[in-house]
Amino acid sequence: MNKSKYLYPGDYMADPSAHVFENKIYIYPSHDRESGIPENDNGDHFDMQDYHVFSLEDINAEVVDHGKVLDVKKIPWAGRQLWDSDVAEKDGKYYMYFSMKDKNDIFRLGVAMADQPYGPFVPQDNPIKGSYSIDPCAFKDTDGSYYLYFGGIWGGQLQFYRNNKIVSPNELPKSDETALSPKVVKMSADMLEFSEQPRDLVILDKEGKPLKHGDTEKRFFEASWMHKYQGKYYFSYSTGDSHLICYAIGDNPYGPFTYQGVILSPVVGWTTHHSIVEFKGKWYLFYHDSVPSGGKTWLRSMKVIELTYDENGHIKPIDGLSS
């Protein structure tokens, strides 16, 4: 499958988080809509109101839409804007982690529970204590531990924080200063809270030095994803304003991680956002672009392509425009 394919032409879905549950691929995307809000650097034009769940029995099968599984109107602490989500399974229960602005317009992370991977998901009354920013990725390690990775700059508000606290003046680092790090935190046994303070996930260059904020083609912007391949931890992410999906490799879930290269070159549309999953012995990259909407970056369509590794465990780059 060296050519990508769109998964759901019937509606605009973005940020696809893919997992294998019950021998199927389940996909948890954001649900884009035409809100009429002008584009700005805060991302107000990405005004998502609900989540759907999709599944695939086989990579070439027709995708099944399981319908709306969570609505902003059903979340007690909701302000506005449901952004990216992800789902983890533990002991037969399913936990959806989602990012949304609270009533003070501050992004927090929430959790909703279901008895099946296709929902519906019932939200908790309050956001996760100590949570902030956007783009949660839920990762189950081979030892049974669960971690949440999160964060995003610009509209994702990560620049508001230092040492997990909001600080003034809420600014990004200067170009020659160390880039802001995505966050990693181990989850509590009940999967509903953090078991510790979130830590910085540090991304290093090949010389072992943390990436600088000005290194926009390598530094973290948003869209955390974690997967494991041949015993190594692969942290992948979007560089945002340079429009790349890159990855870094580490020896444990907390890092540090060493930058390796580009997975996906720019696509049509300002953002892309991805997940990586193994299914029936092959690896796949799920992502989105804005080709079907004619380049409207707030109306995105999810797609999939096969992902391959070389003999050294490096991911072979994919061309975002021609693949």
Side-chain angles (χ1 to χ4, degrees):
M1 190 185 180
N2 56 8
K3 195 76 180 165
S4 65
K5 71 167 186 174
Y6 289 100
L7 291 165
Y8 192 66
D11 203 351
Y12 296 112
M13 302 283 167
D15 312 333
S17 296
H19 291 277
V20 177
F21 300 132
E22 301 179 341
N23 298 312
K24 299 178 190 177
I25 297 176
Y26 280 90
I27 309 161
Y28 303 93
S30 303
H31 185 189
D32 281 354
R33 70 187 187 111
E34 185 63 83
S35 66
I37 297 170
E39 288 184 73
N40 60 37
D41 284 345
N42 291 326
D44 288 335
H45 48 297
F46 297 106
D47 189 29
M48 289 81 97
Q49 299 293 299
D50 60 46
Y51 296 120
H52 284 232
V53 172
F54 297 85
S55 65
L56 287 167
E57 296 255 3
D58 185 80
I59 200 67
N60 295 309
E62 192 168 329
V63 73
V64 175
D65 178 9
H66 296 276
K68 185 164 66 175
V69 299
L70 183 61
D71 190 294
V72 71
K73 298 184 187 72
K74 303 286 189 185
I75 302 169
W77 58 276
R80 64 189 178 105
Q81 288 187 291
L82 281 173
W83 278 14
D84 177 46
S85 69
D86 195 16
V87 170
E89 179 274 332
K90 183 179 182 183
D91 300 333
K93 299 280 187 187
Y94 295 85
Y95 301 85
M96 174 179 275
Y97 300 97
F98 59 91
S99 36
M100 184 180 63
K101 283 181 175 170
D102 65 15
K103 297 179 195 306
N104 296 313
D105 237 23
I106 297 295
F107 269 115
R108 306 287 299 278
L109 305 180
V111 57
M113 295 174 62
D115 293 323
Q116 303 90 15
Y118 46 84
F121 287 86
V122 178
Q124 298 289 294
D125 288 342
N126 296 293
I128 298 171
K129 288 192 289 289
S131 68
Y132 56 94
S133 199
I134 59 167
D135 291 357
C137 162
F139 171 69
K140 180 184 180 181
D141 204 351
T142 42
D143 67 356
S145 299
Y146 291 81
Y147 299 87
L148 208 64
Y149 297 83
F150 65 92
I153 61 175
W154 291 22
Q157 302 179 345
L158 186 62
Q159 68 273 13
F160 290 8
Y161 297 84
R162 300 293 188 274
N163 298 316
N164 301 313
K165 291 185 169 47
I166 289 186
V167 296
S168 183
N170 308 152
E171 289 179 351
L172 288 162
K174 294 182 173 60
S175 126
D176 60 348
E177 293 178 339
T178 300
L180 292 177
S181 294
K183 306 302 172 188
V184 53
V185 62
K186 195 173 187 177
M187 295 304 293
S188 59
D190 66 5
M191 300 290 281
L192 301 178
E193 299 291 347
F194 296 163
S195 72
E196 59 186 1
Q197 288 287 310
R199 309 185 194 186
D200 285 345
L201 185 151
V202 178
I203 303 170
L204 307 173
D205 63 19
K206 293 293 175 64
E207 282 72 54
K209 296 174 182 171
L211 295 178
K212 303 292 188 189
H213 178 69
D215 194 354
T216 56
E217 296 201 341
K218 294 179 181 176
R219 63 95 174 94
F220 172 82
F221 188 102
E222 63 186 2
S224 299
W225 189 259
M226 179 63 72
H227 76 281
K228 215 167 173 180
Y229 179 76
Q230 295 186 345
K232 296 284 189 180
Y233 295 84
Y234 286 62
F235 180 75
S236 47
Y237 57 97
S238 169
T239 61
D241 49 332
S242 58
H243 318 297
L244 303 169
I245 298 292
C246 295
Y247 74 109
I249 295 178
D251 293 323
N252 71 74
Y254 291 111
F257 288 79
T258 302
Y259 175 87
Q260 301 295 320
V262 173
I263 297 175
L264 182 68
S265 65
V267 301
V268 172
W270 198 91
T271 76
T272 193
H273 194 126
H274 71 296
S275 58
I276 295 169
V277 67
E278 184 182 19
F279 185 60
K280 296 183 178 177
K282 292 188 174 181
W283 288 89
Y284 297 96
L285 177 75
F286 288 77
Y287 63 108
H288 68 240
D289 68 24
S290 297
V291 171
S293 71
K296 292 182 179 178
T297 195
W298 62 94
L299 296 177
R300 300 160 294 179
S301 297
M302 59 182 178
K303 56 198 306 192
V304 63
I305 191 168
E306 190 172 338
L307 184 90
T308 55
Y309 303 81
D310 69 16
E311 63 277 8
N312 297 314
H314 293 127
I315 296 171
K316 295 182 182 178
I318 294 167
D319 189 308
L321 296 178
S322 63
S323 296

